[in-house]
RNA sequence: GGCCGGUUCGUCUAUCGGCUAGGACAGCCCCCUUUCACGGGGCAAAGACGGGUUCGAUUCCCGUACCGGCUACCA
């Protein structure tokens, strides 16, 4: 028996190099970004390099704009690759479609060494065979019944090749081979390679499949540690065999198969559909399919801060062993270790995700928040005359905002009078005494304005308000809610006197009068 | 079906053989707040099951169950 055993040596003498290798087929979802993140954290923790490689070998699934989207997403998250298709690097090109010729050479070498072979079966041939034989596998058991350079006489193979018959190149899995390797997260994993079929390495269009491309490029790009989702575990033996055939197992990167991110309800891998169904983003940023024009919302546009997004992703499958949950990217880099990455998948919890964002909002500087919030104000058509005023308002309302757009609902009344007044919450307990009180309050404010005051400190406003209430033999408490609703339109917002202080006396008067008008006309 | 992986409160998780199984999110209650939040305090809530190993297992081993992944000329 041919035993392949790969051990992790604790050597780290060569510079750590990792890669993220997505296919440009659409938006980048949570699981993808987390794979990037763990790659990045591992590389930076060890002072290594992070490479972005685009695996665009499937021309039928290629989607225009997806590559740009991936780069933009990494930029938003702050996970900038050292080498990429856009910025190049010493191992360019970084797009597999541009490396087509390279893979052919290696496929030829495998064929020459008897480790791979030509297969001429058409799609129909394969379909028929699969229909005929339950659990059909293109391997030892049925290889000889198929149209390939192992089963066919040499002359016929020659003839097929000379007449340009379409073919694929398949790896020849050894009849008996136990493949064992050390996964950095899972420990020793072993497979009986004969249960794997002869995977296609080179497709009929001359493009490599993932199996060949990942091995060749990881070698050529000197990748030392390869991270990928757990869904790749079953094909690991193919890759290990290829490493053995092509470059030697001593050169092979160490593998780490990351746990999956699961649906919040039910079971299975989290998908784009789950987000739509349950009402939360799954992609990092908005993604518009160029064909259907359909847009899928992203965490960025939903109003998440990149710091929070990265933080929450890191905690999905990793922790530092303490109760600490809020980590900056620098702290993550400093503390990250693969030993603390989980083996089991984690269900995504949107409520917890929002909590991370709320925490990061509180930590973020008001000036920074103002910058981020400005576009939402623009979109809502709310004019911000002074940036400094926005910064001040943000300080007043930030702890009641979870997502960036919450600033609109929580603070629009600082910039314009509310368009809707929740009269229904005032009316039941409304009485003439209260009306008189507010008429008097307006007069007081008018006098202050005549005295040359535009506004007054919240504390003074509050004292005056309470004194006036007492004078009208009313409890201040019974007046606060109506006052709040007059100012903001409903039962929300920061302290009423903080609001009055900021919107200034003139505006407050206008709003009181407006509501008084509504109340008397009803 | 076959192969591989996984399994601690509803969810994310701590525990690296030693018993009040800790924290966070969500839920509920109270305080603060004459709005809503934030904040503070509290309640409720977990080791899939069965065997071993051991003085002692959530922790180590085996089996079972359940869940997941893969099983394409997709990645």
């Amino acid at each position: 028996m041919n035993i392949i055993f790969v051990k992790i040596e604790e050597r780290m003498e060569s510079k750590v190099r990792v890669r993220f290798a997505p296919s440009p087929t659409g938006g980048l979802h949570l699981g993808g970004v987390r794979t990037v993140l763990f790659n990045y954290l591992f590389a930076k923790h060890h002072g290594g390099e992070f490479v972005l490689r685009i695996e665009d070998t499937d021309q039928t699934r290629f989607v225009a704009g997806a590559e740009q989207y991936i780069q933009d997403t990494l930029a938003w998250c702050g996970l900038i690759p050292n080498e990429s298709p856009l910025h190049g690097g010493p191992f360019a090109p970084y797009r597999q479609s541009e490396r087509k010729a390279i893979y052919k050479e290696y496929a030829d070498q495998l064929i020459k060494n008897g480790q791979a072979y030509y297969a001429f079966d058409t799609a129909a041939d394969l379909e028929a065979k699969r229909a005929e034989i339950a659990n059909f596998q293109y391997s030892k058991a049925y290889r000889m019944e198929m149209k390939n350079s192992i089963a066919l006489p040499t002359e016929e193979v020659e003839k097929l090749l000379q007449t340009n018959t379409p073919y694929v190149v398949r790896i020849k899995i050894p009849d008996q081979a136990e493949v064992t390797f050390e996964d950095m997260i899972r420990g020793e994993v072993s497979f009986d390679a004969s249960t794997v079929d002869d995977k296609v390495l080179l497709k009929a269009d001359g493009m490599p499949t993932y199996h060949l491309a990942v091995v060749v490029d990881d070698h050529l790009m000197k990748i030392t540690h390869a991270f990928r989702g757990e869904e790749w575990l079953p094909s690991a033996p193919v890759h290990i065999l290829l490493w053995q055939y092509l470059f030697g197992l001593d050169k092979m990167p160490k593998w780490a198969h990351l746990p999956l991110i699961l649906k919040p309800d039910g079971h299975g891998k989290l998908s784009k559909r789950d987000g739509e169904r349950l009402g939360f983003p799954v992609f990092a940023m908005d993604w518009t399919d160029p064909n259907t024009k359909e847009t899928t919302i992203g965490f960025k546009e939903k109003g998440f801060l990149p710091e929070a997004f990265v933080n929450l992703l890191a905690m999905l499958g990793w922790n530092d062993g303490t109760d600490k949950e809020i980590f900056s990217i620098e702290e993550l880099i400093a503390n990250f270790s693969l030993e603390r990455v989980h083996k089991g998948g984690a269900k995504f919890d949107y409520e917890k995700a929002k909590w991370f964002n709320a925490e990061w909002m509180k930590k973020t500087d008001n000036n920074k928040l103002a910058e981020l919030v400005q576009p939402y104000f623009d979109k809502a058509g709310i004019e911000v005359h002074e940036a400094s005023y926005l910064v001040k308002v943000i300080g007043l309302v930030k702890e009641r905002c979870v997502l960036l757009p919450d600033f609109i609902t929580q603070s629009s009344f600082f910039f314009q009078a509310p368009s809707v007044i929740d009269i229904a919450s005032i009316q039941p307990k409304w009485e003439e005494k209260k009306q008189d009180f507010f008429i008097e309050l307006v007069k007081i404010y008018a006098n202050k304005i005549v005295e040359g005051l535009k506004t007054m400190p919240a504390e003074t406003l509050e004292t005056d308000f309470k004194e006036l209430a007492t004078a009208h033999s009313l409890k201040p408490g019974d007046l606060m809610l109506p006052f709040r609703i007059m100012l903001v339109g409903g039962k929300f917002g920061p302290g009423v006197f903080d609001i009055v202080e900021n919107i200034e006396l003139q505006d407050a008067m206008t709003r009181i009068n407006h509501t008084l008008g509504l109340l008397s006309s009803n």
Side-chain angles (χ1 to χ4, degrees), chain A residues 110-135:
Chain A
L110 289 166
I111 291 169
K112 205 190 312 160
N113 295 339
Q115 292 154 333
Y117 58 91
Y118 298 108
F120 303 94
D121 316 273
T122 62
D125 290 341
L126 291 168
E127 207 177 305
K129 206 70 186 173
R130 282 193 257 262
E132 178 196 334
I133 302 163
N135 300 325

Side-chain angles (χ1 to χ4, degrees), chain A residues 1-4 114 117 137-144 150 171-179 191-196 198 241 245:
Chain A
M1 188 173 293
N2 173 17
I3 302 215
I4 299 169
Y117 58 91
Q137 276 212 139
Y138 206 118
S139 63
K140 182 182 145 197
Y142 301 105
R143 195 149 53 207
M144 298 311 283
I150 293 179
I171 183 173
K172 187 183 178 218
I173 302 284
D175 291 354
Q176 280 187 315
E178 189 181 328
V179 176
F191 298 82
D192 177 355
S194 62
T195 62
V196 184
D198 293 349
L241 247 15
Y245 294 160

